[in-house]
Amino acid sequence: MESSDYKILLVDDESDILEFLSYNLKKEGFQVATAGNGIEAIEKAKKFHPHLIILDVMMPEMDGIETCEKIRSIPDFQDVLISFLTARGEDYSQIAGFEAGADDYINKPIKPKVFISRVNALLKRAGRIADDTSNFNSQIITIGNISIDRERYLIIQNEREFSLPRKEFELLLLLVSRPQKVFTRDEIYVAIWGEKIIVGDRTIDVHIRKLREKIGERFIQTIKGVGYKFVDVD
């Protein structure tokens, strides 16, 4: 896809930041919509159908974390990319964001070229995931009592059907692609977030914990000091 094919929704309560980021994205050919708060963002997203939402954390009325959770609860937006834009660099803030379903964190202030590079890396990474998973012969992958619907981002387990945020889904798909293989933390970072994306040290741990909560503890084993592997348990 070309830049002009991508739609990006910017959400920030500071109009000068919206204007600055919007200008630089449009200059690169992206389609851009803006919102000044979380409530407006949800309504804009329903009409605009963005590929990527860049969301400020600290906003009045509804903060970015709550907005992200509400967006992720809408079936049409299970696979939309969401990146937080924040001046806060605390580890706990990033963990809360990833738990809410975010794909990335961008710290501000940020230079235009770096910002565009991060956006392109996110969109490129999403495209590579789609290409990589197309190597599976079937839309639905079944291993043990878990079935993964790649097109609908759904998990079917013991007659229970539920969805996962994009990064959790991609992580699970990576692990089940080679059961019993131990994926190192570096391999997971590169495969899921890409080489140019910088995330906190606990990012993988947070996503693994969320996956275990949803599919069961026994399926994903920790290899201390190395990484994680998927175990086919009937």
Side-chain angles (χ1 to χ4, degrees):
M1 294 176 68
E2 301 293 331
S3 295
S4 58
D5 296 323
Y6 286 110
K7 297 180 180 181
I8 299 175
L9 174 60
L10 297 173
V11 189
D12 200 302
D13 61 321
E14 298 183 41
S15 58
D16 56 336
I17 291 178
L18 284 180
E19 184 177 350
F20 170 73
L21 296 180
S22 179
Y23 168 78
N24 283 282
L25 287 170
K26 288 178 179 178
K27 192 168 66 171
E28 295 297 318
F30 294 105
Q31 299 179 54
V32 181
T34 61
N37 58 63
I39 296 172
E40 183 184 357
I42 294 171
E43 294 306 312
K44 281 281 181 75
K46 291 176 180 177
K47 298 176 181 177
F48 188 57
H49 296 287
H51 298 92
L52 168 63
I53 299 173
I54 299 175
L55 188 62
D56 186 31
V57 173
M58 303 298 291
M59 294 186 295
E61 296 186 59
M62 183 187 296
D63 66 23
I65 302 295
E66 184 181 356
T67 303
C68 181
E69 290 174 338
K70 288 186 179 297
I71 289 172
R72 285 293 186 220
S73 70
I74 301 171
D76 287 347
F77 299 124
Q78 287 294 323
D79 61 348
V80 68
L81 289 164
I82 298 178
S83 178
F84 279 116
L85 182 69
T86 179
R88 299 177 62 179
E90 299 97 329
D91 195 41
Y92 75 86
S93 177
Q94 291 196 13
I95 291 171
F98 286 125
E99 288 188 334
D103 297 292
D104 191 24
Y105 246 88
I106 298 174
N107 290 321
K108 58 182 181 182
I110 187 168
K111 295 180 180 179
K113 288 185 179 180
V114 177
F115 174 66
I116 296 299
S117 176
R118 292 292 292 272
V119 168
N120 283 328
L122 263 173
L123 294 171
K124 184 177 180 181
R125 177 63 211 148
R128 286 206 305 271
I129 288 291
D131 291 341
D132 291 345
T133 58
S134 67
N135 292 329
F136 289 108
N137 292 325
S138 174
Q139 170 191 329
I140 298 179
I141 304 153
T142 300
I143 180 166
N145 71 341
I146 298 176
S147 294
I148 304 171
D149 187 327
R150 297 186 297 112
E151 288 195 358
R152 297 191 297 158
Y153 276 71
L154 287 177
I155 308 300
I156 302 99
Q157 184 180 30
N158 298 327
E159 299 183 355
R160 180 173 64 104
E161 188 176 281
F162 56 95
S163 59
L164 293 174
R166 176 185 284 270
K167 289 303 181 192
E168 290 178 31
F169 187 88
E170 291 172 357
L171 178 54
L172 179 60
L173 200 57
L174 174 68
L175 295 174
V176 303
S177 69
R178 297 182 66 182
Q180 302 297 336
K181 169 183 164 54
V182 179
F183 287 90
T184 67
R185 296 177 69 85
D186 285 344
E187 285 176 324
I188 294 172
Y189 274 126
V190 172
I192 304 303
W193 283 273
E195 295 178 354
K196 294 184 179 180
I197 301 296
I198 301 173
V199 294
D201 291 339
R202 293 185 59 193
T203 300
I204 292 177
D205 302 328
V206 169
H207 284 73
I208 290 290
R209 176 169 61 79
K210 299 295 282 186
L211 274 177
R212 285 171 169 162
E213 289 173 357
K214 293 169 183 174
I215 68 172
E217 295 278 343
R218 66 190 188 278
F219 291 100
I220 302 175
Q221 289 188 0
T222 301
I223 309 302
K224 192 172 182 180
V226 183
Y228 299 94
K229 70 176 180 178
F230 186 88
V231 182
D232 182 3
V233 181
D234 291 323

